[in-house]
Amino acid sequence: MEGPKTSRKKESLHIAIIGLGYVGLPLAVEFGKKFQTTGYDISSSRIKELKEGEDSTLEVSKKNLHQPNLRYTDKPDELKECNIFIITVPTPIDEDKNPDLTYLISASKLVGKCLNQDDIVIYESTVFPGATEEICVPLLEEESKLTFNQGFFCGYSPERINPGDGSHKLPDIVKVTSGSNKTTAIFIDQLYGNIIKAGTYMAESIKIAEAAKIIENTQRDVNIALVNELTMLFNALNIDTQKVLSAAKTKWNFLDFYPGLVGGHCIGVDPYYLTHKAEQEGYIPEMILSGRKINDGMAFYVSNNILELLEKEKINTNKANLLLLGFSFKENCPDYRNTKVLDLKNELSKNLKVVDIYDPWIDKHKVLKELRIDLIEKPKKNFYDVIVVAVGHKIFKEMSTNGFSEYAKEKYVLYNIQNSFPILNVTGRL
């Protein structure tokens, strides 16, 4: 058989979204507007909150959570009536920075048990080129007892969700699609075309689509690493990095990147998937690894920079109290996966008396349960020797210098990591 039955009518399609996080939930909602859709997540608490009309990721509004054709479940048996499966589970790295495919493998086995003749499985999770066909497909075959490209078919359409970005929602971002053969590729491309206003781009193969996704974030990582390294250099030369960047970006083709901590579930993770595959093939990707080394070391650099400023201002580090403003991995977003603010806290805690973290975007009870980090409810007044703006949340941008000084002692250091907004009379800045 060349591919799935392209004559399927819209009403015969039943789409299952596996994983209802930042990627899966918006996808389930959009498909739920036009197709029979089942949103599945292994977390019963996640399903409970969605059924109650709440989304802790803040990616979907309350009014959009309930669609006429959409239901939420944590029961695997309810997936057996579906015929299109879209897998959107996390693909993190382990402590040694190797790909952790635990969620992907579990999801593939789960879906494999539900497959019937002519069903389609589409992966959106970020992986290294070849992972879908080399790792996932054999699991689907084993669990379903069906043959790939005869009994069932696959595709890959990489997610491009940008958490906290209200201007670039799922329908507004061009969707790369692919399929395990031409008929399947066309079917999948047309399927996504029903919900993506920005249009689709059909890649020639699954491997090309996988590679296209992973270089998007690798490119950003390398560019940020360059700016981070330039910042270290300009600091050593006593030159204001922001003023240099402002001057340089007057040229039309200058790439507009800024220094900072590089965390999150994508930029700080995806390059390791690509380097893992490269090293398997005997190729050492020097530039990518160099960029990762620089960005992974930024928390250590910033910590040392702050300590040097304290010494310069003759503030005793052993008795110093520090306030970190922001804990999420990016601004105006509750997502704290792989946040490098945690690395910064750990570095600073080695030398300072108190390191408090305040972030109004974050569920402090969830952080305490998952990471055993106790975020403060509110900063103490007249208490801190150092205030560090770690994340450029809008609420922090709107604070004047007086707003910061409310929490500080009479003499204090104000340090802005991203330098994403101006502060007057700053003692220290990156």
Side-chain angles (χ1 to χ4, degrees):
M1 184 177 290
E2 293 184 356
K5 295 177 182 177
T6 54
S7 60
R8 282 175 172 165
K9 295 181 179 179
K10 179 177 177 180
E11 55 268 22
S12 71
L13 298 181
H14 191 153
I15 301 171
I17 309 297
I18 312 300
L20 296 175
Y22 285 86
V23 176
L25 180 62
L27 201 62
V29 167
E30 292 304 321
F31 273 122
K33 294 176 181 178
K34 298 189 176 184
F35 299 94
Q36 193 66 30
T37 304
T38 297
Y40 172 85
D41 199 283
I42 195 173
S43 169
S44 57
S45 60
R46 176 64 167 160
I47 296 301
K48 183 175 182 292
E49 76 168 44
L50 293 176
K51 285 182 175 180
E52 292 174 350
E54 299 295 334
D55 171 29
S56 57
T57 69
L58 305 181
E59 289 299 306
V60 177
S61 65
K62 189 168 187 174
K63 68 177 182 178
N64 284 326
L65 280 176
H66 295 299
Q67 298 296 333
N69 301 315
L70 174 61
R71 66 177 181 180
Y72 302 108
T73 184
D74 58 352
K75 297 177 175 58
D77 286 346
E78 294 187 22
L79 299 174
K80 292 183 178 179
E81 59 194 71
C82 301
N83 46 36
I84 308 290
F85 299 86
I86 303 179
I87 295 177
T88 64
V89 296
T91 44
I93 53 175
D94 61 22
E95 292 182 358
D96 297 319
K97 304 189 186 305
N98 294 314
D100 179 0
L101 300 177
T102 304
Y103 300 110
L104 196 66
I105 290 170
S106 296
S108 297
K109 289 180 177 180
L110 171 70
V111 168
K113 291 180 172 66
C114 303
L115 287 181
N116 293 303
Q117 183 69 37
D118 284 333
D119 286 354
I120 301 174
V121 185
I122 305 167
Y123 289 87
E124 290 213 4
S125 305
T126 303
V127 291
F128 49 78
T132 298
E133 292 159 297
E134 296 166 12
I135 295 175
C136 301
V137 164
L139 295 171
L140 295 172
E141 286 186 314
E142 182 181 352
E143 296 295 336
S144 68
K145 310 305 179 189
L146 296 171
T147 302
F148 178 49
N149 271 344
Q150 294 180 26
F152 71 93
F153 306 87
C154 282
Y156 183 80
S157 181
E159 61 88 4
R160 282 176 163 175
I161 294 293
N162 189 24
D165 186 346
S167 302
H168 299 91
K169 292 294 187 181
L170 175 65
D172 309 315
I173 306 170
V174 173
K175 200 83 165 72
V176 174
T177 66
S178 65
S180 51
N181 56 33
K182 188 171 183 179
T183 307
T184 306
I186 293 172
F187 182 89
I188 291 172
D189 192 69
Q190 292 175 346
L191 179 69
Y192 278 104
N194 284 283
I195 66 168
I196 305 297
K197 297 176 184 176
T200 60
Y201 179 92
M202 188 167 64
E204 293 182 6
S205 70
I206 287 176
K207 282 186 179 180
I208 288 174
E210 291 170 327
K213 164 59 183 177
I214 207 161
I215 70 166
E216 291 174 15
N217 288 322
T218 300
Q219 182 187 67
R220 287 186 60 80
D221 191 46
V222 170
N223 277 297
I224 295 170
L226 173 61
V227 176
N228 276 336
E229 185 167 51
L230 289 173
T231 299
M232 297 178 201
L233 170 61
F234 293 145
N235 278 353
L237 297 175
N238 197 28
I239 299 174
D240 189 319
T241 300
Q242 293 304 310
K243 291 180 180 178
V244 173
L245 295 176
S246 295
K249 71 179 183 181
T250 57
K251 189 166 187 282
W252 76 91
N253 60 353
F254 182 80
L255 300 179
D256 198 10
F257 288 89
Y258 289 88
L261 304 175
V262 184
H265 61 104
C266 290
I267 298 179
V269 172
D270 294 355
Y272 287 120
Y273 273 73
L274 189 55
T275 57
H276 170 82
K277 186 63 174 179
E279 290 172 348
Q280 280 188 336
E281 299 299 321
Y283 179 78
I284 307 300
E286 295 181 8
M287 179 177 287
I288 299 172
L289 287 172
S290 177
R292 276 283 79 228
K293 182 179 179 181
I294 290 171
N295 287 339
D296 276 344
M298 280 304 289
F300 179 76
Y301 173 80
V302 170
S303 175
N304 282 348
N305 204 212
I306 291 171
L307 293 175
E308 288 173 3
L309 286 168
L310 289 176
E311 184 177 349
K312 180 181 177 181
E313 295 300 316
K314 295 182 171 51
I315 297 174
N316 189 335
T317 56
N318 294 327
K319 297 180 179 179
N321 303 324
L322 181 143
L323 173 64
L324 282 172
L325 293 173
F327 187 70
S328 59
F329 86 88
K330 63 178 294 187
E331 65 276 3
N332 307 318
C333 174
D335 191 351
Y336 55 85
R337 288 175 294 174
N338 193 34
T339 175
K340 294 304 176 182
V341 180
L342 179 57
D343 293 353
L344 181 58
K345 178 198 182 311
N346 291 337
E347 288 294 334
L348 291 167
S349 296
K350 295 175 184 177
N351 295 280
L352 305 181
K353 181 181 178 182
V354 173
V355 177
D356 284 343
I357 305 176
Y358 171 64
D359 193 326
W361 277 88
I362 301 294
D363 182 343
K364 64 187 299 291
H365 302 292
K366 190 176 178 182
V367 172
L368 181 60
K369 182 179 179 181
E370 292 181 5
L371 302 177
R372 296 182 180 179
I373 300 294
D374 193 6
L375 274 58
I376 61 174
E377 196 70 47
K378 192 174 181 180
K380 303 177 183 69
K381 291 187 177 182
N382 307 317
F383 181 73
Y384 300 100
D385 301 275
V386 193
I387 296 177
V388 179
V389 184
V391 185
H393 290 318
K394 183 180 178 182
I395 189 174
F396 299 147
K397 290 183 180 182
E398 292 174 347
M399 293 175 69
S400 64
T401 305
N402 291 335
F404 289 112
S405 61
E406 175 185 357
Y407 307 124
K409 295 178 180 178
E410 185 174 348
K411 180 180 181 181
Y412 74 103
V413 170
L414 183 58
Y415 190 99
N416 180 13
I417 291 179
Q418 294 180 312
N419 238 352
S420 55
F421 57 97
I423 302 177
L424 300 175
N425 303 319
V426 181
T427 301
R429 61 194 305 168
L430 182 60

